[in-house]
Amino acid sequence: MAKRGRPGAQNPGRMISGGMDIEDFIELTKRTECDCTCVGKSFEPVPEELREDFVDVAEEIGDRRYAYAKQLEEEGNLLSAGSFYGRANAMYRVADYGIHDAITEEKLRIYGKIPETFQKQWQYSNTNFEVLEIPYEGKTMQGYLCIPDNCPKDTPVLVFIPGATGFKEENFSSAYYFYERGIPFIIFDGPGQGVSLYFREMWLTTTNYIGAVKAVIDYVKSDDRIGNKIALYGISYGGFFATQAACELNDDICGLVVRGGTDRTDDLTKHPWMGIPNFYLGGFQLKFNQEDLEVCSKMSTEMCVTDKLHNITVPTLIIHTKEDPIIGVEGAKRIYNMVSSEDKYYAEYPGNAHCVNDQMDSAGCFGADWMVKRMLNK
């Protein structure tokens, strides 16, 4: 098998801001791409023949961190154990990302380690972290709920929607900005995502993610510890999911954030990436549980809400880079121009990193500051 390199969408900014320890980043990069120890010299690419397989190395480092975390746990060093479970989790996430051809035994093995290590990480943190099972379509969607200390029972709640490949563990850090500002949040794997896709056979259809969001909203409203006003925040393809849901559920929400999103699925599935036409369409075969690529193409085209954007009247924030090679910029601009919201803002960041993931803290702080004020005003 040919050696797999670093996935194109996993740039260093994304990997590090997503929680990868810098020590682990240096080892992974040195063994698979370039020597970035950089003591007295510039970065030096590793010769092709000496590079190791990215997925294998990431899993190996993750397994080492996991073993040490368990040792620390047994010794009662729980804060350190949580840290090393988190380091393992970050490595497993990028290893999983490097397997994109099918739901293989390797992918299930590696992805299965992600929720386990992530939950251990946050169990030993100082965050009020809960694992949820949210009923939907006769099954349950796994999610995470965080309620800040001394949170008034009427505090609005953020529902964070991951994208096509990042899933709830990778995007948790973006939702966490709201927790730090006193806002409870839920992040979950809906149909076609993460645990729901790989282990519960919850496939994506053209409209069932709307029902998934409604199920989460109903779950929030049934919890008397938190308020019943909800803002939606979608990142990457989650920006489409959030927009699609907002078009139908505008009266159930108090705000919308679309970061790196669009109003048409074709903008993602049929956008060229790394010189390959329709780069992400094949991945949607797994989400749709369809072998026929032509059927997937038709389903993708049907998932378009341009004509319904006028239904959205709540405060709306668009966060997008000036150029986005994965999803383009036209969809983000259509959403901004066509929603009926009187309170809306288009935050454009320089560069071309998808979802502004090379400026994660800048975009994360701004998005939370902008929306939290409006949520609390409600």
PDB file of all heavy atoms in Angstrom, residues 3-32:
ATOM      1  N   LYS A   3       2.255   4.872   0.833  1.00  0.00           N
ATOM      2  CA  LYS A   3       2.266   5.620   2.089  1.00  0.00           C
ATOM      3  C   LYS A   3       1.314   6.805   1.997  1.00  0.00           C
ATOM      4  O   LYS A   3       1.343   7.576   1.044  1.00  0.00           O
ATOM      5  CB  LYS A   3       3.682   6.104   2.387  1.00  0.00           C
ATOM      6  CG  LYS A   3       4.661   4.993   2.712  1.00  0.00           C
ATOM      7  CD  LYS A   3       6.057   5.552   2.936  1.00  0.00           C
ATOM      8  CE  LYS A   3       7.073   4.445   3.162  1.00  0.00           C
ATOM      9  NZ  LYS A   3       8.459   4.968   3.296  1.00  0.00           N
ATOM     10  N   ARG A   4       0.479   6.934   2.993  1.00  0.00           N
ATOM     11  CA  ARG A   4      -0.473   8.034   3.031  1.00  0.00           C
ATOM     12  C   ARG A   4       0.167   9.256   3.681  1.00  0.00           C
ATOM     13  O   ARG A   4       0.812   9.151   4.713  1.00  0.00           O
ATOM     14  CB  ARG A   4      -1.726   7.613   3.818  1.00  0.00           C
ATOM     15  CG  ARG A   4      -2.527   6.521   3.123  1.00  0.00           C
ATOM     16  CD  ARG A   4      -3.535   5.860   4.039  1.00  0.00           C
ATOM     17  NE  ARG A   4      -2.880   5.065   5.086  1.00  0.00           N
ATOM     18  CZ  ARG A   4      -3.518   4.214   5.888  1.00  0.00           C
ATOM     19  NH1 ARG A   4      -4.837   4.044   5.759  1.00  0.00           N
ATOM     20  NH2 ARG A   4      -2.864   3.534   6.813  1.00  0.00           N
ATOM     21  N   GLY A   5      -0.020  10.398   3.043  1.00  0.00           N
ATOM     22  CA  GLY A   5       0.516  11.639   3.591  1.00  0.00           C
ATOM     23  C   GLY A   5      -0.511  12.369   4.427  1.00  0.00           C
ATOM     24  O   GLY A   5      -1.644  11.906   4.605  1.00  0.00           O
ATOM     25  N   ARG A   6      -0.125  13.521   4.923  1.00  0.00           N
ATOM     26  CA  ARG A   6      -1.056  14.346   5.694  1.00  0.00           C
ATOM     27  C   ARG A   6      -2.240  14.748   4.819  1.00  0.00           C
ATOM     28  O   ARG A   6      -2.054  15.230   3.705  1.00  0.00           O
ATOM     29  CB  ARG A   6      -0.338  15.606   6.201  1.00  0.00           C
ATOM     30  CG  ARG A   6      -1.252  16.597   6.917  1.00  0.00           C
ATOM     31  CD  ARG A   6      -0.469  17.752   7.522  1.00  0.00           C
ATOM     32  NE  ARG A   6       0.378  18.426   6.552  1.00  0.00           N
ATOM     33  CZ  ARG A   6      -0.036  19.374   5.733  1.00  0.00           C
ATOM     34  NH1 ARG A   6      -1.312  19.744   5.719  1.00  0.00           N
ATOM     35  NH2 ARG A   6       0.805  19.949   4.888  1.00  0.00           N
ATOM     36  N   PRO A   7      -3.479  14.562   5.303  1.00  0.00           N
ATOM     37  CA  PRO A   7      -4.648  14.973   4.519  1.00  0.00           C
ATOM     38  C   PRO A   7      -4.588  16.461   4.200  1.00  0.00           C
ATOM     39  O   PRO A   7      -4.210  17.271   5.060  1.00  0.00           O
ATOM     40  CB  PRO A   7      -5.831  14.647   5.444  1.00  0.00           C
ATOM     41  CG  PRO A   7      -5.296  13.620   6.395  1.00  0.00           C
ATOM     42  CD  PRO A   7      -3.849  13.952   6.578  1.00  0.00           C
ATOM     43  N   GLY A   8      -4.944  16.820   2.983  1.00  0.00           N
ATOM     44  CA  GLY A   8      -4.835  18.211   2.551  1.00  0.00           C
ATOM     45  C   GLY A   8      -5.600  19.188   3.424  1.00  0.00           C
ATOM     46  O   GLY A   8      -5.161  20.323   3.628  1.00  0.00           O
ATOM     47  N   ALA A   9      -6.755  18.766   3.952  1.00  0.00           N
ATOM     48  CA  ALA A   9      -7.574  19.676   4.753  1.00  0.00           C
ATOM     49  C   ALA A   9      -7.075  19.822   6.185  1.00  0.00           C
ATOM     50  O   ALA A   9      -7.541  20.694   6.919  1.00  0.00           O
ATOM     51  CB  ALA A   9      -9.028  19.203   4.756  1.00  0.00           C
ATOM     52  N   GLN A  10      -6.133  18.956   6.589  1.00  0.00           N
ATOM     53  CA  GLN A  10      -5.599  19.034   7.956  1.00  0.00           C
ATOM     54  C   GLN A  10      -4.308  19.845   7.943  1.00  0.00           C
ATOM     55  O   GLN A  10      -3.211  19.319   8.062  1.00  0.00           O
ATOM     56  CB  GLN A  10      -5.368  17.626   8.514  1.00  0.00           C
ATOM     57  CG  GLN A  10      -6.626  16.897   8.922  1.00  0.00           C
ATOM     58  CD  GLN A  10      -7.243  17.441  10.214  1.00  0.00           C
ATOM     59  OE1 GLN A  10      -6.629  18.222  10.934  1.00  0.00           O
ATOM     60  NE2 GLN A  10      -8.458  17.024  10.500  1.00  0.00           N
ATOM     61  N   ASN A  11      -4.463  21.156   7.791  1.00  0.00           N
ATOM     62  CA  ASN A  11      -3.280  22.005   7.841  1.00  0.00           C
ATOM     63  C   ASN A  11      -2.792  22.137   9.286  1.00  0.00           C
ATOM     64  O   ASN A  11      -3.520  21.827  10.235  1.00  0.00           O
ATOM     65  CB  ASN A  11      -3.562  23.370   7.205  1.00  0.00           C
ATOM     66  CG  ASN A  11      -4.694  24.113   7.899  1.00  0.00           C
ATOM     67  OD1 ASN A  11      -4.698  24.258   9.110  1.00  0.00           O
ATOM     68  ND2 ASN A  11      -5.662  24.579   7.124  1.00  0.00           N
ATOM     69  N   PRO A  12      -1.560  22.572   9.498  1.00  0.00           N
ATOM     70  CA  PRO A  12      -1.036  22.673  10.864  1.00  0.00           C
ATOM     71  C   PRO A  12      -1.910  23.512  11.787  1.00  0.00           C
ATOM     72  O   PRO A  12      -2.082  23.174  12.966  1.00  0.00           O
ATOM     73  CB  PRO A  12       0.348  23.306  10.662  1.00  0.00           C
ATOM     74  CG  PRO A  12       0.766  22.836   9.299  1.00  0.00           C
ATOM     75  CD  PRO A  12      -0.504  22.843   8.489  1.00  0.00           C
ATOM     76  N   GLY A  13      -2.465  24.625  11.267  1.00  0.00           N
ATOM     77  CA  GLY A  13      -3.324  25.456  12.101  1.00  0.00           C
ATOM     78  C   GLY A  13      -4.526  24.685  12.611  1.00  0.00           C
ATOM     79  O   GLY A  13      -4.923  24.809  13.775  1.00  0.00           O
ATOM     80  N   ARG A  14      -5.109  23.875  11.756  1.00  0.00           N
ATOM     81  CA  ARG A  14      -6.277  23.094  12.159  1.00  0.00           C
ATOM     82  C   ARG A  14      -5.890  22.032  13.185  1.00  0.00           C
ATOM     83  O   ARG A  14      -6.593  21.826  14.170  1.00  0.00           O
ATOM     84  CB  ARG A  14      -6.915  22.436  10.930  1.00  0.00           C
ATOM     85  CG  ARG A  14      -8.107  21.552  11.261  1.00  0.00           C
ATOM     86  CD  ARG A  14      -8.766  21.030  10.004  1.00  0.00           C
ATOM     87  NE  ARG A  14      -9.941  20.224  10.308  1.00  0.00           N
ATOM     88  CZ  ARG A  14     -10.773  19.739   9.398  1.00  0.00           C
ATOM     89  NH1 ARG A  14     -10.564  19.980   8.119  1.00  0.00           N
ATOM     90  NH2 ARG A  14     -11.826  19.024   9.750  1.00  0.00           N
ATOM     91  N   MET A  15      -4.785  21.345  12.948  1.00  0.00           N
ATOM     92  CA  MET A  15      -4.399  20.269  13.849  1.00  0.00           C
ATOM     93  C   MET A  15      -4.061  20.805  15.238  1.00  0.00           C
ATOM     94  O   MET A  15      -4.500  20.252  16.257  1.00  0.00           O
ATOM     95  CB  MET A  15      -3.208  19.495  13.268  1.00  0.00           C
ATOM     96  CG  MET A  15      -3.546  18.686  12.034  1.00  0.00           C
ATOM     97  SD  MET A  15      -2.267  17.463  11.589  1.00  0.00           S
ATOM     98  CE  MET A  15      -0.938  18.522  11.045  1.00  0.00           C
ATOM     99  N   ILE A  16      -3.299  21.877  15.295  1.00  0.00           N
ATOM    100  CA  ILE A  16      -2.864  22.403  16.587  1.00  0.00           C
ATOM    101  C   ILE A  16      -4.018  23.079  17.312  1.00  0.00           C
ATOM    102  O   ILE A  16      -4.235  22.860  18.512  1.00  0.00           O
ATOM    103  CB  ILE A  16      -1.676  23.359  16.407  1.00  0.00           C
ATOM    104  CG1 ILE A  16      -0.460  22.584  15.878  1.00  0.00           C
ATOM    105  CG2 ILE A  16      -1.331  24.056  17.718  1.00  0.00           C
ATOM    106  CD1 ILE A  16       0.703  23.463  15.453  1.00  0.00           C
ATOM    107  N   SER A  17      -4.788  23.901  16.610  1.00  0.00           N
ATOM    108  CA  SER A  17      -5.898  24.591  17.270  1.00  0.00           C
ATOM    109  C   SER A  17      -6.995  23.622  17.677  1.00  0.00           C
ATOM    110  O   SER A  17      -7.777  23.901  18.588  1.00  0.00           O
ATOM    111  CB  SER A  17      -6.477  25.685  16.361  1.00  0.00           C
ATOM    112  OG  SER A  17      -6.998  25.136  15.176  1.00  0.00           O
ATOM    113  N   GLY A  18      -7.048  22.457  17.027  1.00  0.00           N
ATOM    114  CA  GLY A  18      -8.019  21.437  17.408  1.00  0.00           C
ATOM    115  C   GLY A  18      -7.616  20.656  18.639  1.00  0.00           C
ATOM    116  O   GLY A  18      -8.362  19.771  19.080  1.00  0.00           O
ATOM    117  N   GLY A  19      -6.461  20.938  19.206  1.00  0.00           N
ATOM    118  CA  GLY A  19      -6.071  20.310  20.455  1.00  0.00           C
ATOM    119  C   GLY A  19      -4.839  19.433  20.401  1.00  0.00           C
ATOM    120  O   GLY A  19      -4.481  18.805  21.406  1.00  0.00           O
ATOM    121  N   MET A  20      -4.147  19.382  19.261  1.00  0.00           N
ATOM    122  CA  MET A  20      -2.959  18.542  19.187  1.00  0.00           C
ATOM    123  C   MET A  20      -1.815  19.184  19.974  1.00  0.00           C
ATOM    124  O   MET A  20      -1.507  20.362  19.797  1.00  0.00           O
ATOM    125  CB  MET A  20      -2.526  18.326  17.730  1.00  0.00           C
ATOM    126  CG  MET A  20      -1.334  17.385  17.592  1.00  0.00           C
ATOM    127  SD  MET A  20      -0.873  17.069  15.873  1.00  0.00           S
ATOM    128  CE  MET A  20      -2.274  16.087  15.310  1.00  0.00           C
ATOM    129  N   ASP A  21      -1.189  18.393  20.834  1.00  0.00           N
ATOM    130  CA  ASP A  21      -0.053  18.872  21.600  1.00  0.00           C
ATOM    131  C   ASP A  21       1.115  19.155  20.652  1.00  0.00           C
ATOM    132  O   ASP A  21       1.357  18.398  19.711  1.00  0.00           O
ATOM    133  CB  ASP A  21       0.343  17.812  22.626  1.00  0.00           C
ATOM    134  CG  ASP A  21       1.500  18.254  23.490  1.00  0.00           C
ATOM    135  OD1 ASP A  21       1.249  18.904  24.509  1.00  0.00           O
ATOM    136  OD2 ASP A  21       2.654  17.932  23.131  1.00  0.00           O
ATOM    137  N   ILE A  22       1.838  20.228  20.928  1.00  0.00           N
ATOM    138  CA  ILE A  22       2.898  20.628  20.010  1.00  0.00           C
ATOM    139  C   ILE A  22       4.001  19.567  19.951  1.00  0.00           C
ATOM    140  O   ILE A  22       4.607  19.344  18.898  1.00  0.00           O
ATOM    141  CB  ILE A  22       3.471  22.014  20.405  1.00  0.00           C
ATOM    142  CG1 ILE A  22       4.331  22.577  19.277  1.00  0.00           C
ATOM    143  CG2 ILE A  22       4.220  21.950  21.710  1.00  0.00           C
ATOM    144  CD1 ILE A  22       3.577  22.902  18.015  1.00  0.00           C
ATOM    145  N   GLU A  23       4.278  18.880  21.054  1.00  0.00           N
ATOM    146  CA  GLU A  23       5.271  17.803  21.058  1.00  0.00           C
ATOM    147  C   GLU A  23       4.867  16.691  20.096  1.00  0.00           C
ATOM    148  O   GLU A  23       5.692  16.173  19.329  1.00  0.00           O
ATOM    149  CB  GLU A  23       5.402  17.256  22.478  1.00  0.00           C
ATOM    150  CG  GLU A  23       6.360  16.098  22.631  1.00  0.00           C
ATOM    151  CD  GLU A  23       6.359  15.534  24.043  1.00  0.00           C
ATOM    152  OE1 GLU A  23       5.759  16.161  24.943  1.00  0.00           O
ATOM    153  OE2 GLU A  23       6.942  14.446  24.244  1.00  0.00           O
ATOM    154  N   ASP A  24       3.591  16.352  20.115  1.00  0.00           N
ATOM    155  CA  ASP A  24       3.104  15.295  19.232  1.00  0.00           C
ATOM    156  C   ASP A  24       3.082  15.767  17.781  1.00  0.00           C
ATOM    157  O   ASP A  24       3.360  14.993  16.856  1.00  0.00           O
ATOM    158  CB  ASP A  24       1.709  14.845  19.671  1.00  0.00           C
ATOM    159  CG  ASP A  24       1.711  14.272  21.078  1.00  0.00           C
ATOM    160  OD1 ASP A  24       2.765  13.767  21.516  1.00  0.00           O
ATOM    161  OD2 ASP A  24       0.658  14.349  21.750  1.00  0.00           O
ATOM    162  N   PHE A  25       2.739  17.037  17.586  1.00  0.00           N
ATOM    163  CA  PHE A  25       2.753  17.596  16.232  1.00  0.00           C
ATOM    164  C   PHE A  25       4.150  17.513  15.629  1.00  0.00           C
ATOM    165  O   PHE A  25       4.320  17.136  14.463  1.00  0.00           O
ATOM    166  CB  PHE A  25       2.271  19.051  16.251  1.00  0.00           C
ATOM    167  CG  PHE A  25       2.464  19.767  14.949  1.00  0.00           C
ATOM    168  CD1 PHE A  25       1.569  19.587  13.902  1.00  0.00           C
ATOM    169  CD2 PHE A  25       3.557  20.600  14.748  1.00  0.00           C
ATOM    170  CE1 PHE A  25       1.748  20.243  12.681  1.00  0.00           C
ATOM    171  CE2 PHE A  25       3.747  21.253  13.545  1.00  0.00           C
ATOM    172  CZ  PHE A  25       2.838  21.073  12.512  1.00  0.00           C
ATOM    173  N   ILE A  26       5.157  17.855  16.428  1.00  0.00           N
ATOM    174  CA  ILE A  26       6.531  17.835  15.925  1.00  0.00           C
ATOM    175  C   ILE A  26       6.947  16.412  15.559  1.00  0.00           C
ATOM    176  O   ILE A  26       7.549  16.180  14.500  1.00  0.00           O
ATOM    177  CB  ILE A  26       7.488  18.447  16.963  1.00  0.00           C
ATOM    178  CG1 ILE A  26       7.270  19.965  17.035  1.00  0.00           C
ATOM    179  CG2 ILE A  26       8.942  18.143  16.620  1.00  0.00           C
ATOM    180  CD1 ILE A  26       8.039  20.659  18.147  1.00  0.00           C
ATOM    181  N   GLU A  27       6.628  15.429  16.407  1.00  0.00           N
ATOM    182  CA  GLU A  27       7.005  14.054  16.089  1.00  0.00           C
ATOM    183  C   GLU A  27       6.281  13.554  14.841  1.00  0.00           C
ATOM    184  O   GLU A  27       6.906  12.969  13.937  1.00  0.00           O
ATOM    185  CB  GLU A  27       6.707  13.110  17.254  1.00  0.00           C
ATOM    186  CG  GLU A  27       7.085  11.667  16.914  1.00  0.00           C
ATOM    187  CD  GLU A  27       6.772  10.660  18.009  1.00  0.00           C
ATOM    188  OE1 GLU A  27       6.419  11.072  19.137  1.00  0.00           O
ATOM    189  OE2 GLU A  27       6.878   9.444  17.721  1.00  0.00           O
ATOM    190  N   LEU A  28       4.973  13.792  14.776  1.00  0.00           N
ATOM    191  CA  LEU A  28       4.189  13.341  13.622  1.00  0.00           C
ATOM    192  C   LEU A  28       4.714  13.969  12.335  1.00  0.00           C
ATOM    193  O   LEU A  28       4.893  13.285  11.312  1.00  0.00           O
ATOM    194  CB  LEU A  28       2.717  13.701  13.827  1.00  0.00           C
ATOM    195  CG  LEU A  28       1.762  13.426  12.672  1.00  0.00           C
ATOM    196  CD1 LEU A  28       1.638  11.931  12.391  1.00  0.00           C
ATOM    197  CD2 LEU A  28       0.373  14.026  12.972  1.00  0.00           C
ATOM    198  N   THR A  29       4.973  15.266  12.364  1.00  0.00           N
ATOM    199  CA  THR A  29       5.427  15.980  11.175  1.00  0.00           C
ATOM    200  C   THR A  29       6.830  15.543  10.764  1.00  0.00           C
ATOM    201  O   THR A  29       7.115  15.355   9.572  1.00  0.00           O
ATOM    202  CB  THR A  29       5.384  17.500  11.428  1.00  0.00           C
ATOM    203  OG1 THR A  29       4.060  17.870  11.820  1.00  0.00           O
ATOM    204  CG2 THR A  29       5.758  18.267  10.181  1.00  0.00           C
ATOM    205  N   LYS A  30       7.700  15.353  11.749  1.00  0.00           N
ATOM    206  CA  LYS A  30       9.076  14.962  11.452  1.00  0.00           C
ATOM    207  C   LYS A  30       9.131  13.585  10.793  1.00  0.00           C
ATOM    208  O   LYS A  30       9.974  13.331   9.917  1.00  0.00           O
ATOM    209  CB  LYS A  30       9.908  14.966  12.734  1.00  0.00           C
ATOM    210  CG  LYS A  30      11.392  14.700  12.518  1.00  0.00           C
ATOM    211  CD  LYS A  30      12.171  14.818  13.820  1.00  0.00           C
ATOM    212  CE  LYS A  30      13.647  14.565  13.598  1.00  0.00           C
ATOM    213  NZ  LYS A  30      14.426  14.670  14.858  1.00  0.00           N
ATOM    214  N   ARG A  31       8.244  12.688  11.179  1.00  0.00           N
ATOM    215  CA  ARG A  31       8.282  11.328  10.644  1.00  0.00           C
ATOM    216  C   ARG A  31       7.535  11.177   9.320  1.00  0.00           C
ATOM    217  O   ARG A  31       7.732  10.198   8.601  1.00  0.00           O
ATOM    218  CB  ARG A  31       7.711  10.351  11.678  1.00  0.00           C
ATOM    219  CG  ARG A  31       8.581  10.212  12.919  1.00  0.00           C
ATOM    220  CD  ARG A  31       7.915   9.386  14.000  1.00  0.00           C
ATOM    221  NE  ARG A  31       7.622   8.030  13.551  1.00  0.00           N
ATOM    222  CZ  ARG A  31       6.975   7.124  14.289  1.00  0.00           C
ATOM    223  NH1 ARG A  31       6.565   7.441  15.518  1.00  0.00           N
ATOM    224  NH2 ARG A  31       6.743   5.914  13.810  1.00  0.00           N
ATOM    225  N   THR A  32       6.690  12.146   8.986  1.00  0.00           N
ATOM    226  CA  THR A  32       5.844  11.984   7.796  1.00  0.00           C
ATOM    227  C   THR A  32       6.001  13.074   6.749  1.00  0.00           C
ATOM    228  O   THR A  32       5.559  12.908   5.614  1.00  0.00           O
ATOM    229  CB  THR A  32       4.363  11.932   8.205  1.00  0.00           C
ATOM    230  OG1 THR A  32       4.000  13.182   8.824  1.00  0.00           O
ATOM    231  CG2 THR A  32       4.085  10.789   9.167  1.00  0.00           C
TER     232      THR A  32
END
